[in-house]
Amino acid sequence: MSVKSSDAQEAWEPKILAFCCNWCSYAGADLAGLNRTQQPPNVRIIRVPCSGRVDPQFIMRAFQDGVDGVLVAGCHPGDCHYSTGNFFARRRFLLFQRIFDYIGIDPGRLQNRWISGAEGDKFAATVSKVTEDIRALGPNRKLRDEHE
Amino acid sequence: MKRVGVFVCHCGSNIAAVVDCERVAKEAAKFPGVAFSIDNKYMCSDPGQDLIKKAVEEHHLDRIVVASCTPRMHEPVFRRATENAGINPYLFAMTNIREHVSWIHTDREKATEKAIDLVRMAVAKVLHTVPLEKSSIPITKRALVIGGGIAGMQAALDIADNGNPVVLVEREPTIGGKMPMLDKTFPSLDCSACICTPKMASTDQHPNITIYTHSEVERVDGYIGNFQVTIRQKAKYVDHKICTGCGLCETKCPNKKIPNSFEAGMGNRTAIYKAFPQAVPNKPIIDAANCRKLTKDKCGVCAKVCPTGAIKYDDQDELITIDVGAIVMATGYDLFPWKEAYGEYGYGKYPDVITGLQFERLVNASGPTSGHILRPSDGKEPKTIVFIKCVGSRDDVKGKAYCSRTCCMYTAKHAHQAVDKIEDSHVIVFYMDVRTAGKGYEEFYQRTVEDGVHYVRGRVSKIYQLGDKLIVRGEDTLLGEAVQVNADLVVLATAMVPSAGSGEIAHIVGFSTDKDGFYQEAHPKLRPLETFTAGVFLAGACQGPKDIPDTAAQGSGAAAKASAVLSNRSMETDPLISQVNDAVCAGCGVCVGICPYRAIELKEITQRAGGKTIARRVASINSGLCQGCGACVAACRSGALDLKGFTNQQIMAEVDALCL
Ligand SMILES: Cc1cc2nc3c(=O)[nH]c(=O)nc-3n(C[C@H](O)[C@H](O)[C@H](O)COP(=O)(O)OP(=O)(O)OC[C@H]3O[C@@H](n4cnc5c(N)ncnc54)[C@H](O)[C@@H]3O)c2cc1C
């Protein structure tokens, strides 16, 4: 499945990258698995120690590479394993959304959620919801590098 | 050339039922850098791990990727397998095709594609790994305990019994905390002082324990195993090395009307004083603010009468520095300042509205009334006593949202004591709920009800004075009718709050507090005794409201944790931490403020440039403190910081690989 082939328009499936912190949201994803909670297969997870580790350049690069949506998931505010990392993530996220809005990209392409290690259902629901949101927005054309 | 080996696990049929593992392995063989790729039924089993070893030998692999279950479970297993195969354990990447693929999808084609993507990402990541080594830091075999209540004493005794020296710092002139103030303790009603003062004495006499009373911790530097602590020993004006504790000075001191905080304000003391007769150390100090010699240079009686010449009016504060390897916080609690919040109870203007702690002193045989319950206003025995629970607790408008946990039980105790001590008494308890979870607690409460104590479910809305009676108005919500009691004494069960200055000491030691100011445990369920700062542990009511059994248990628990740290000469540290590229670092210091562990400092380096030696400042990571969250890395403006094991290059490679 290559998102870059433009003739695959009909078969287009959103490709979504999720950054999950090791302690909460990745554990939430694990729990969803343990509970066998079915989810759309569009999300690929990159495990990071903390949502505060997510550098804006990772997100930009993902969009340039042709990803249709990015989810950054961390611990609930106040529950960060590293006490404050998710606050930085939240601040960056808000800034990012404003930049997206400003440059004419739907801010919904970048989503931010707080999911604990006990919230398997919430993780699965988030994957479904984000997949539907991105599907509704259609393929990411504006941000991706066209070098083919 | 890097040579990656990829191992795809079936996990029996857990993965293989949905993912075509053979195809994943075949596809992986085509990824750049992959020299070998295979699927196997159980990678975590011994034969699976042997497979890695054999493949490394036969195919000269130098990096390993395992696609199986969650790395949160088996990453350590496969790191070890990698190491056993002769490869640095950090030249390894793991991807999760079970919890994140086979268990959540049914479409075999799509699941297999997803697994291939994930393996491609892991291969891209592992190509950018470098060998990492664990480092080791030395451990100072001494513990610091801050706060000398029952929690702190228990912790100090257990650590000391374990064979390690302990320094106990208490800011009051005596150790003991609240427990020696109490009369009897629920649920067994044994005399509090009788079980507490022997503990105080053993703490004092233990050869491994050094106590600093009337002292505070002023500064803490360093990290687990290597804390440097500065203690301020406040001036005592009495040389405790010479003083015999005979007490003559106290009997002669002319200033006798100073409210004694040990009596919860119900009794007085002198300016040179011991808080109570069994204080530890059993020697007085001078309260400088109330001493006529120290304030007005008059009097000087104590020096005149002291048979050993121990009085030292020119005594000064002293700073003491010690090195410790672990710290136990045991600073306890204070009571909610109800007078500031509860206008309906008179803001403290009625002398016969008192707190539970004051009631403890009234029933205590060594208290100001020698154990006779006499009301403060006129010294008469009250016949009708009203107890009001949840004053400041479970009241997020005027007080705190949380339950203080001890009040239901101590109010039952007080009500029982009132019935027991006062003939023809009439005792009423206003309550919201009765919470008596604990061994023997419910039985205790039921006995109190059988004693004839009248429990009324409802809140008191107003108290006012009429003649020598306190009119208490409330509602019985079970009967749905208004209640009025003409009381002689009202006792408020006020909420437990963090002790004064606990936020400051948390900041000094370097860990966080929760929304109510109690010390934040590292995990509410699984790590209740630890803080986020390695080597700093919690005991007692400083972590949240608690009774004595729970406090003592936590004291022992924190001691076990601290002893585990002290049991080693050195400890290994995880290499997955931040690193600085000095050449790129601009020394802006943004990372210093971001780090929640105070692991980053600016240090001066010198370098040669244009034939001259110049000095400049760069960030420097303390490997003992850094926990590897990576917040500093994402915030670094010049790109000088990186997180080992999760480098920018590695994550970028994963991102790129997703869209190949
Ligand atoms: C009215 C009342 C009745 C009670 N009755 C019972 C009962 O019958 N049974 C029962 O199980 N529990 C009872 N309790 C609860 C009991 O008091 C607590 O569980 C217990 O005292 C908690 O011990 P601790 O060591 O954590 O705190 P504390 O007893 O508060 O001790 C903390 C110590 O730390 C010191 N400290 C504080 N800050 C610093 C600092 N910065 N530096 C140095 N030292 C510091 C304080 O001076 C104090 O000595 C009662 C509580 C109240 C209010």
Side-chain angles (χ1 to χ4, degrees):
Chain A
M1 171 166 101
S2 167
V3 285
K4 285 186 181 168
S5 54
S6 44
D7 55 351
Q9 194 54 18
E10 272 159 61
W12 177 76
E13 274 292 321
K15 192 155 211 168
I16 297 160
L17 174 60
F19 289 99
C20 291
C21 77
N22 182 49
W23 305 99
C24 291
S25 48
Y26 194 93
D30 282 353
L31 184 61
L34 205 64
N35 295 338
R36 312 296 198 273
T37 315
Q38 299 298 302
Q39 301 158 39
N42 303 62
V43 174
R44 309 282 182 269
I45 293 176
I46 291 183
R47 184 168 67 117
V48 285
C50 176
S51 54
R53 170 68 186 97
V54 179
D55 196 313
Q57 59 171 341
F58 302 156
I59 298 170
M60 271 324 288
R61 175 83 132 231
F63 282 117
Q64 284 173 333
D65 282 346
V67 157
D68 302 301
V70 173
L71 167 68
V72 177
C75 309
H76 285 267
D79 282 352
C80 176
H81 180 78
Y82 303 103
S83 73
T84 50
N86 51 3
F87 293 130
F88 296 116
R90 180 168 65 185
R91 220 174 295 165
R92 281 184 206 122
F93 166 75
L94 293 173
L95 201 63
F96 228 110
Q97 288 224 313
R98 287 178 58 186
I99 293 172
F100 268 22
D101 204 25
Y102 180 70
I103 61 176
I105 309 289
D106 196 300
R109 287 204 186 272
L110 175 62
Q111 305 224 9
N112 190 198
R113 293 294 153 78
W114 311 126
I115 302 167
S116 83
E119 295 175 326
D121 288 346
K122 180 170 178 189
F123 187 88
T126 301
V127 165
S128 303
K129 175 78 171 66
V130 171
T131 306
E132 280 329 298
D133 288 355
I134 303 297
R135 193 188 298 285
L137 290 175
N140 151 32
R141 290 211 182 78
K142 284 193 184 155
L143 280 171
R144 91 176 178 220
D145 287 343
E146 298 290 355
H147 44 57
E148 269 170 275
Chain B
M1 261 307 274
K2 290 163 186 164
R3 297 179 61 82
V4 180
V6 176
F7 300 84
V8 183
C9 182
H10 292 203
C11 194
S13 62
N14 276 304
I15 296 172
V18 180
V19 173
D20 182 346
C21 296
E22 211 183 311
R23 197 178 128 208
V24 175
K26 277 208 186 101
E27 286 295 320
K30 301 180 201 158
F31 300 155
V34 175
F36 175 77
S37 154
I38 196 167
D39 55 307
N40 181 272
K41 210 160 178 76
Y42 286 110
M43 279 310 298
C44 60
S45 67
D46 283 346
Q49 297 189 45
D50 285 345
L51 183 66
I52 297 180
K53 201 166 178 177
K54 249 181 44 220
V56 168
E57 279 164 19
E58 283 172 18
H59 301 272
H60 310 291
L61 306 177
D62 60 7
R63 278 166 172 73
I64 304 295
V65 167
V66 174
S68 57
C69 50
T70 173
R72 289 172 48 86
M73 181 152 77
H74 274 343
E75 193 173 52
V77 171
F78 291 119
R79 268 206 212 295
R80 232 175 296 127
T82 305
E83 195 170 17
N84 290 341
I87 301 178
N88 180 286
Y90 294 92
L91 298 177
F92 162 76
M94 188 166 176
T95 194
N96 184 350
I97 59 169
R98 191 177 73 175
E99 283 84 345
H100 294 189
V101 182
S102 65
W103 279 355
I104 56 167
H105 304 311
T106 43
D107 182 324
R108 192 171 175 81
E109 178 59 29
K110 291 209 166 109
T112 305
E113 266 172 22
K114 181 170 170 182
I116 294 170
D117 274 0
L118 291 177
V119 172
R120 193 188 311 109
M121 291 160 74
V123 169
K125 178 178 186 184
V126 87
L127 286 173
H128 293 285
T129 51
V130 292
L132 299 174
E133 299 298 335
K134 290 195 165 156
S135 58
S136 112
I137 50 175
I139 304 257
T140 308
K141 286 178 173 283
R142 185 183 297 112
L144 168 71
V145 176
I146 305 181
I150 186 63
M153 292 191 291
Q154 185 70 46
L157 284 166
D158 284 6
I159 297 170
D161 282 345
N162 234 294
N164 288 304
V166 182
V167 170
L168 176 63
V169 176
E170 166 59 57
R171 70 174 167 201
E172 294 296 325
T174 175
I175 59 170
K178 305 285 184 305
M179 196 172 160
M181 300 168 75
L182 308 180
D183 179 44
K184 299 211 160 47
T185 54
F186 63 74
S188 48
L189 286 185
D190 37 2
C191 145
S192 186
C194 313
I195 54 177
C196 185
T197 48
K199 268 251 181 300
M200 293 162 64
S202 339
T203 310
D204 190 34
Q205 286 152 14
H206 202 295
N208 280 343
I209 300 178
T210 311
I211 301 178
Y212 292 101
T213 48
H214 203 40
S215 299
E216 282 188 62
V217 170
E218 202 158 271
R219 196 188 155 108
V220 175
D221 292 305
Y223 49 93
I224 180 170
N226 301 273
F227 295 104
Q228 292 93 44
V229 181
T230 309
I231 300 164
R232 176 177 293 272
Q233 165 71 74
K234 289 176 274 183
K236 292 175 170 161
Y237 307 100
V238 177
D239 187 342
H240 280 194
K241 286 193 214 74
I242 310 175
C243 170
T244 60
C246 70
L248 195 57
C249 51
E250 288 178 76
T251 58
K252 300 289 180 205
C253 177
N255 194 354
K256 297 189 192 305
K257 286 262 149 37
I258 306 160
N260 190 355
S261 58
F262 184 81
E263 299 292 2
M266 312 279 290
N268 293 333
R269 61 165 170 83
T270 44
I272 185 164
Y273 75 107
K274 287 185 291 212
F276 61 107
Q278 296 91 352
V280 167
N282 202 247
K283 293 171 184 182
I285 65 154
I286 297 180
D287 162 11
N290 286 301
C291 168
R292 290 183 195 165
K293 176 73 184 171
L294 291 169
T295 51
K296 302 194 187 106
D297 199 22
K298 289 186 183 140
C299 187
V301 162
C302 49
K304 281 178 215 142
V305 301
C306 178
T308 61
I311 308 297
K312 240 170 88 181
Y313 294 123
D314 62 352
D315 197 15
Q316 300 278 323
D317 286 8
E318 200 185 325
L319 291 181
I320 300 149
T321 53
I322 50 159
D323 291 338
V324 300
I327 300 176
V328 174
M329 299 301 301
T331 55
Y333 69 99
D334 276 338
L335 292 177
F336 177 76
W338 71 275
K339 291 182 183 174
E340 291 157 27
Y342 284 86
E344 62 266 47
Y345 304 159
Y347 288 126
K349 69 173 178 254
Y350 310 128
D352 296 331
V353 178
I354 63 171
T355 66
L357 200 57
Q358 290 177 313
F359 187 83
E360 293 281 348
R361 297 311 299 157
L362 281 187
V363 278
N364 195 310
S366 66
T369 55
S370 305
H372 301 293
I373 303 174
L374 303 175
R375 50 187 222 163
S377 61
D378 53 12
K380 285 194 193 138
E381 188 177 69
K383 290 288 176 198
T384 305
I385 306 183
V386 166
F387 290 90
I388 305 177
K389 294 207 283 190
C390 296
V391 178
S393 306
R394 304 179 67 199
D395 180 352
D396 48 7
V397 178
K398 291 205 178 77
K400 308 289 174 183
Y402 56 80
C403 162
S404 291
R405 285 187 61 191
T406 57
C407 334
C408 280
M409 281 303 289
Y410 74 61
T411 300
K413 171 181 78 176
H414 292 167
H416 162 84
Q417 286 174 309
V419 172
D420 195 40
K421 289 206 166 186
I422 301 172
E423 230 178 297
D424 318 320
S425 59
H426 183 33
V427 178
I428 302 111
V429 177
F430 281 92
Y431 72 101
M432 288 165 66
D433 291 291
V434 179
R435 296 179 168 180
T436 53
K439 203 168 168 174
Y441 287 13
E442 175 65 17
E443 297 91 316
F444 183 90
Y445 156 63
Q446 290 300 346
R447 275 201 301 279
T448 307
V449 175
E450 283 157 24
D451 284 346
V453 173
H454 190 60
Y455 271 73
V456 178
R457 189 174 201 275
R459 273 216 177 262
V460 168
S461 53
K462 182 95 194 134
I463 299 174
Y464 60 94
Q465 186 101 40
L466 198 71
D468 70 345
K469 291 280 181 194
L470 288 163
I471 312 300
V472 179
R473 286 205 166 150
E475 194 195 352
D476 186 328
T477 53
L478 294 182
L479 297 178
E481 57 190 36
V483 190
Q484 175 170 323
V485 183
N486 298 349
D488 301 310
L489 181 70
V490 175
V491 184
L492 309 178
T494 46
M496 287 166 102
V497 295
S499 64
S502 58
E504 287 79 357
I505 190 75
H507 185 73
I508 288 170
V509 179
F511 61 90
S512 40
T513 52
D514 66 20
K515 65 178 195 329
D516 297 308
F518 288 109
Y519 298 156
Q520 178 77 55
E521 64 281 357
H523 190 283
K525 281 147 252 157
L526 303 178
R527 293 169 70 198
L529 307 173
E530 293 157 76
T531 64
F532 284 115
T533 305
V536 179
F537 306 104
L538 303 177
C542 59
Q543 181 261 350
K546 262 179 210 77
D547 56 18
I548 295 163
D550 285 0
T551 297
Q554 263 203 346
S556 288
K561 287 271 169 199
S563 300
V565 171
L566 303 183
S567 66
N568 298 306
R569 274 180 197 290
S570 62
M571 69 176 245
E572 280 197 332
T573 58
D574 194 353
L576 302 182
I577 58 170
S578 287
Q579 59 184 356
V580 188
N581 181 346
D582 285 357
V584 181
C585 179
C588 70
V590 163
C591 51
V592 175
I594 278 179
C595 178
Y597 303 100
R598 297 198 289 184
I600 312 180
E601 270 177 356
L602 291 179
K603 67 161 187 205
E604 190 136 299
I605 57 163
T606 51
Q607 65 184 57
R608 300 281 297 167
K612 275 189 283 186
T613 302
I614 54 165
R616 62 187 189 91
R617 299 205 305 163
V618 295
S620 147
I621 312 280
N622 183 318
S623 65
L625 290 177
C626 177
Q627 305 283 311
C629 70
C632 57
V633 181
C636 178
R637 294 165 182 169
S638 50
L641 286 164
D642 215 342
L643 182 62
K644 291 190 251 179
F646 293 93
T647 63
N648 287 336
Q649 211 186 15
Q650 285 171 339
I651 297 176
M652 283 296 211
E654 281 182 273
V655 171
D656 286 345
L658 168 59
C659 293
L660 281 180

